[in-house]
Amino acid sequence: MKLPVPNKMEWASFVTLMPLISFLTCFVLFGNEWYRNDALWLKGFGFILLVGLGIWYTDVVLTRYIHDAFISYRDTIKRIVTLVVKQFVVVTICVFIILWGVEHFSAEPFEVTPRKFWLSLSIGVSITLIAMIIWEGDFIFSQYKESVREREMYAQLSLEGEFESLKRQVNPHFLFNCFNTLSALISEDKQKAELFLNELSKVYRYLLRTNESGMSTLRNELHFIESYMRLLKTRHGEALRLQIETDKKYDQHLLPSLSLQMLVENVVKHNALSKNHPLTIEIFTTAGNKLVVNNNIRGRSKKAPSGRVGLSNIATKYQLLNQHGFQVMEDGKYFTVVLPLIWNGTPNLNTTFT
């Protein structure tokens, strides 16, 4: 078994407290004038300090063992009781060794008395208990930091897992709708169907790349939505319009990948499209790092079934990111969604649409 290496806290306690124990013990054993005797500095103070070094290291080893044996939070009381008992035993052994050594090697006549034994034991126990409290406090704080780190790690893993689950919901849903459109175009206009398929391959390639990170820059999302709109306009023509007015300063801000695609898809799904009464989708930025997606409402005679999967997906992503400000508003004439834009502290998201 590899012996432990004392840490800075343990070394500091030895350097600070052991000389104090040696100094006070010499007063108890040799009297008030011991420090005037050069021989007692070596054979008294020095001997006690040397024994203390060996006992201190033994104490470190035993303390580490006890910490490992009772590491759980529910074992705290058992650990503290065991440490206190260990402290009395270790200090008692140390005092016996010191008294035996001083009696046999002292430069001055020396007699062991019960009073000297108990006073020496009291000094050793009381001062080393201070070290034990410091070590235990350091151990508890280290355990607390470790538990916080583990909770953060588990939370991050959970967040990543939920994010992955949400991303898996997007791709099949998007592809299913595109295949429905392609199927309809094949029977209506094969040339348009071919153009649609070429555009779809570009869009889906981007979708796969950007969905790996879960986040995308506003600039990339806008480029993507323009291409996605070309897919939609292949089928719907002038019945669908897109207006984009965003401040360039927000280009590198982040938002959950494919949020705009889900919102546009939601708009097309739940509104009637007509050349005489076109459906207009506006995308613009506002102060306070907000992106607004707004559309006029063109009610259908027969409402499309809705599980609000797209909106719920986006809302959940913002919750997982601990970002507030996602809003959905409707007044009968317009349907509006507000997306918070997240400052990109590391603008390295270079996934571009090609």
Side-chain angles (χ1 to χ4, degrees):
M1 182 182 69
K2 186 178 180 180
L3 293 176
V5 177
N7 58 34
K8 291 181 179 179
M9 179 71 69
E10 290 160 342
W11 272 115
S13 65
F14 173 78
V15 172
T16 303
L17 299 179
M18 197 59 221
L20 177 61
I21 293 174
S22 299
F23 195 80
L24 294 177
T25 303
C26 283
F27 271 107
V28 171
L29 299 181
F30 305 122
N32 295 336
E33 300 297 321
W34 74 269
Y35 55 87
R36 298 182 185 276
N37 189 324
D38 294 339
L40 288 180
W41 275 103
L42 177 63
K43 294 189 177 182
F45 184 86
F47 176 72
I48 295 173
L49 201 62
L50 183 63
V51 173
L53 176 62
I55 294 297
W56 164 80
Y57 185 75
T58 302
D59 200 14
V60 170
V61 174
L62 292 175
T63 300
R64 298 279 185 90
Y65 177 79
I66 293 170
H67 282 163
D68 291 339
F70 302 103
I71 196 169
S72 173
Y73 174 77
R74 64 177 179 272
D75 293 331
T76 299
I77 295 178
K78 292 181 181 178
R79 185 176 65 249
I80 292 176
V81 171
T82 306
L83 287 170
V84 171
V85 172
K86 177 267 304 178
Q87 207 64 35
F88 274 98
V89 172
V90 168
V91 174
T92 300
I93 293 173
C94 181
V95 170
F96 271 117
I97 293 173
I98 289 172
L99 292 178
W100 176 85
V102 169
E103 186 176 25
H104 286 77
F105 304 114
S106 176
E108 299 291 333
F110 180 78
E111 180 184 358
V112 177
T113 64
R115 180 176 179 276
K116 290 179 179 180
F117 170 80
W118 288 111
L119 282 175
S120 299
L121 183 63
S122 299
I123 292 170
V125 169
S126 58
I127 295 179
T128 56
L129 279 176
I130 296 173
M132 191 202 79
I133 292 171
I134 294 172
W135 293 0
E136 182 64 14
D138 183 60
F139 174 75
I140 292 174
F141 183 64
S142 298
Q143 290 296 103
Y144 171 74
K145 288 194 297 183
E146 180 66 17
S147 67
V148 170
R149 187 191 68 80
E150 288 180 355
R151 284 199 299 270
E152 290 176 348
M153 181 183 70
Y154 291 144
Q156 180 65 24
L157 290 174
S158 176
L159 184 150
E160 290 175 357
E162 292 183 58
F163 229 116
E164 286 299 318
S165 176
L166 290 172
K167 290 193 291 184
R168 285 193 292 270
Q169 293 178 21
V170 176
N171 290 358
H173 186 62
F174 170 75
L175 190 59
F176 177 77
N177 283 281
C178 286
F179 280 160
N180 279 343
T181 302
L182 180 60
S183 177
L185 282 175
I186 289 174
S187 60
E188 295 176 7
D189 189 328
K190 290 185 177 180
Q191 186 175 1
K192 278 189 176 181
E194 184 178 350
L195 292 174
F196 183 90
L197 184 59
N198 289 336
E199 195 71 24
L200 174 61
S201 66
K202 298 177 185 178
V203 168
Y204 205 73
R205 184 165 59 249
Y206 171 82
L207 183 150
L208 290 175
R209 286 204 306 264
T210 193
N211 212 25
E212 290 175 357
S213 66
M215 301 293 290
S216 184
T217 63
L218 175 59
R219 182 179 62 184
N220 289 339
E221 282 289 289
L222 291 176
H223 287 168
F224 170 74
I225 206 62
E226 289 172 344
S227 297
Y228 178 65
M229 282 296 294
R230 284 196 288 272
L231 291 179
L232 296 176
K233 288 177 73 68
T234 302
R235 180 177 177 86
H236 301 294
E238 294 303 315
L240 184 63
R241 297 177 181 176
L242 176 66
Q243 298 177 0
I244 298 177
E245 292 185 14
T246 59
D247 194 321
K248 293 294 183 183
K249 71 181 182 180
Y250 294 117
D251 279 356
Q252 293 302 316
H253 281 61
L254 303 177
L255 68 161
S257 300
L258 308 175
S259 295
L260 295 182
Q261 180 270 323
M262 282 186 279
L263 292 177
V264 170
E265 183 180 50
N266 190 63
V267 170
V268 174
K269 178 180 178 181
H270 295 287
N271 288 276
L273 284 84
S274 166
K275 290 183 180 180
N276 296 327
H277 301 285
L279 179 64
T280 302
I281 301 173
E282 300 173 305
I283 301 176
F284 56 92
T285 52
T286 64
N289 298 357
K290 303 292 184 183
L291 181 70
V292 179
V293 181
N294 180 71
N295 67 275
N296 55 332
I297 297 176
R298 296 295 182 191
R300 288 187 170 192
S301 55
K302 183 179 179 180
K303 289 187 177 181
S306 174
R308 298 180 71 87
V309 174
L311 292 173
S312 297
N313 189 301
I314 299 170
T316 303
K317 285 184 177 180
Y318 274 110
Q319 289 173 5
L320 292 173
L321 294 167
N322 197 30
Q323 293 289 329
H324 306 288
F326 176 76
Q327 298 180 58
V328 178
M329 298 172 285
E330 183 177 355
D331 62 6
K333 293 183 178 180
Y334 296 96
F335 186 85
T336 305
V337 178
V338 179
L339 302 172
L341 294 174
I342 304 167
W343 166 246
N344 183 9
T346 55
N348 298 325
L349 295 179
N350 296 321
T351 304
T352 55
F353 179 79
T354 55

